[in-house]
Amino acid sequence: MKIQTPVAMPMPWWCSPAGIAVGFLLPLMVLISYAGDLPHPALTIRGVEALNAHYLQLGAMMILAIALAGWFGAQLQLGAPPVARDVRSWDRAALGIGGLATVAFIIWFRDFVFNPVLLFQTLTGEFKPDRNTIALTPGLTSLANMGPVFFSLYAYRLFDKGEQALPRAMHVMFVVLGLFTLFRVYVWTERLALIELLVPFGLAFGRWTAARVGTGWALARSVGPYAAIPMVILLFGASEYFRSWSSDTYQGKMDFWEFAIGRFASYYYTSLNNGAGLLANMPWPTWTFEFTLEWLHRAPFGLGKPFSDAVGYTGPQLDWYLATYQDEEFNSPSGIYSPLSDMGIYGGLGYMLAIGLVSGLCFRAYREGRLVGVLFYPIFFITFMEIYRYPYLGVPRAFTWTLGIGLALLLASTVKPLPAPRRTASTPSEHPAS
């Protein structure tokens, strides 16, 4: 096979840590902050309002820290230039992780998988399951959160095949895991699972559009996430439809789009306001790492208790704060302000700088087609997308995703790939590298 040295492919501004932080997160935070003053009938904002100019400036500083460190990290070239490798090892790693996530989904939703009648009733709306009645198996069902590792590899390979065609098993695995994920979104009312599925495809698509010419492609590269806002609001409103639309508060008093936009604005405004209120009304820093290391506090089999005891964590202060000052319905602590609550100004700022630097390095690796970048950068990008609500890297699902990345790297380096048909092409194409 002919060996080529990949270069750092150009990608749209919104794919980079600095671009998404300055070009999207910062202006959108300012727009969301005005929601508290709007007389919109669907806005649901209760409790103490703390999101003032002071805390907006503090939030802007945190976002700019990500942008600055992310830009710097993206300029660095660590180690020798990447050398192309046989991407069949990527496919084997993806199938291994995908199989593990599939087994976890089967265990999780076994009552539906092995009962076609119940499954049909659920899909048709005849039966509406309560997520509290769906049995979880600690340590096993959480492995379903390794699914995004497969989606990251599949999406990248789908848009950049190189000389090796995608094996049919990869497409089959995508259909299986995709259906399980959509079912999870529906029955578990978990929008985040859908975001975790779509983000890897958005990044791979962004990289693919860099080489496309034409007005439409140029518009996609320029507008980026702003064009997705109406679709996000639509999906958000659709999920909220079954939760809140039927209540007397909204039913018959406004149209669907008014309802969806109002709930969307309420959701993100209250997240930012909760974070600002934590700093305004609670003592900080706590140094309990309630938010940034939530996964460690909640580690199964009693593994988290020694850490909780060591840092003096006796329970979430967020619950008491919401019950006292805010609305317990909107319980997101904000990923911009909660690191400050955990670690103070300097610790929180260092946390954001570290995230920016590492994400910048991963972005560079993604552009170069390195396996480590393809696996790691999507989780950082979702961290940016969720930063208004909470620090994504601190939650248990992100930890499980990271474990899946480590396992995928191990599989790709140790498991011998099966022979695969060579892809024929009239023009040379770029080869992913690790």
Side-chain angles (χ1 to χ4, degrees):
M1 180 173 65
K2 183 179 178 181
I3 301 297
Q4 297 180 355
T5 300
V7 296
M9 292 286 290
M11 291 181 68
W13 64 268
W14 47 269
C15 292
S16 71
I20 196 68
V22 175
F24 185 73
L25 295 179
L26 196 57
L28 199 60
M29 182 182 69
V30 176
L31 289 175
I32 291 172
S33 70
Y34 285 109
D37 300 323
L38 295 177
H40 195 285
L43 280 171
T44 306
I45 299 174
R46 310 183 188 100
V48 177
E49 293 190 31
L51 191 62
N52 55 28
H54 168 73
Y55 288 108
L56 283 175
Q57 292 171 3
L58 186 59
M61 181 183 72
M62 301 291 278
I63 292 176
L64 289 175
I66 291 178
L68 179 61
W71 175 85
F72 180 73
Q75 310 311 307
L76 298 179
Q77 174 67 66
L78 299 182
V83 177
R85 292 182 59 187
D86 190 344
V87 294
R88 290 176 298 172
S89 62
W90 295 29
D91 300 340
R92 292 283 289 179
L95 290 172
I97 295 297
L100 191 61
T102 299
V103 171
F105 270 121
I106 292 174
I107 295 173
W108 187 0
F109 296 124
R110 55 188 177 275
D111 292 340
F112 303 92
V113 173
F114 299 111
N115 189 340
V117 175
L118 180 63
L119 177 62
F120 178 78
Q121 291 174 336
T122 302
L123 294 176
T124 57
E126 183 179 346
F127 174 71
K128 294 184 179 180
D130 182 353
R131 61 184 297 172
N132 295 321
T133 64
I134 300 176
L136 295 174
T137 306
L140 288 178
T141 50
S142 60
L143 296 180
N145 294 321
M146 290 187 178
V149 179
F150 171 83
F151 295 136
S152 298
L153 288 168
Y154 178 79
Y156 191 94
R157 288 277 285 119
L158 185 68
F159 284 95
D160 188 357
K161 299 180 178 63
E163 289 189 355
Q164 298 293 340
L166 268 170
R168 182 176 298 177
M170 289 278 282
H171 298 299
V172 174
M173 182 65 71
F174 169 69
V175 172
V176 172
L177 267 183
L179 290 175
F180 266 123
T181 300
L182 293 177
F183 185 73
R184 174 182 184 173
V185 173
Y186 173 68
V187 76
W188 202 251
T189 61
E190 193 173 19
R191 290 181 293 262
L192 184 56
L194 182 61
I195 296 174
E196 291 168 339
L197 187 158
L198 295 177
V199 160
F201 287 90
L203 289 172
F205 175 78
R207 188 174 184 271
W208 182 71
T209 62
R212 298 297 182 273
V213 296
T215 304
W217 298 117
L219 184 63
R221 290 191 292 268
S222 300
V223 178
Y226 288 102
I229 288 178
M231 182 59 66
V232 172
I233 293 177
L234 175 62
L235 293 174
F236 185 91
S239 63
E240 288 292 305
Y241 181 91
F242 299 100
R243 291 180 176 181
S244 307
W245 177 254
S246 58
S247 69
D248 294 335
T249 304
Y250 304 105
Q251 187 63 262
K253 298 180 181 178
M254 64 194 71
D255 62 32
F256 174 77
W257 279 105
E258 282 186 317
F259 164 78
I261 293 172
R263 292 291 289 184
F264 181 83
S266 301
Y267 198 64
Y268 284 97
Y269 177 86
T270 52
S271 297
L272 291 172
N273 188 61
N274 285 345
L278 270 174
L279 303 184
N281 298 289
M282 303 291 288
W284 60 282
T286 63
W287 295 109
T288 60
F289 304 98
E290 175 181 342
F291 306 105
T292 50
L293 289 178
E294 180 189 348
W295 62 267
L296 188 51
H297 288 297
R298 295 175 57 184
F301 312 117
L303 298 178
K305 190 175 186 305
F307 174 73
S308 298
D309 293 340
V311 298
Y313 177 76
T314 57
Q317 72 165 355
L318 178 64
D319 293 348
W320 184 89
Y321 164 74
L322 292 174
T324 305
Y325 293 98
Q326 304 296 345
D327 183 357
E328 295 175 275
E329 178 186 358
F330 300 99
N331 58 4
S332 298
S334 172
I336 296 176
Y337 300 107
S338 55
L340 297 172
S341 176
D342 278 351
M343 297 176 284
I345 288 287
Y346 299 111
L349 189 60
Y351 178 81
M352 292 301 191
L353 288 171
I355 288 177
L357 179 62
V358 177
S359 66
L361 291 169
C362 292
F363 176 64
R364 171 80 181 221
Y366 190 97
R367 291 174 58 202
E368 293 175 341
R370 294 177 185 262
L371 178 58
V372 67
V374 172
L375 289 171
F376 269 106
Y377 190 57
I379 195 173
F380 282 100
F381 197 82
I382 288 181
T383 298
F384 304 147
M385 294 293 95
E386 291 295 302
I387 199 169
Y388 299 136
R389 298 204 301 134
Y390 57 85
Y392 181 82
L393 291 177
V395 300
R397 65 192 303 141
F399 176 71
T400 308
W401 184 347
T402 305
L403 288 180
I405 290 174
L407 181 57
L409 290 170
L410 179 64
L411 290 175
S413 62
T414 59
V415 177
K416 184 178 180 181
L418 294 174
R422 188 184 181 91
R423 181 176 181 269
T424 59
S426 58
T427 58
S429 58
E430 183 193 4
H431 299 253
S434 60

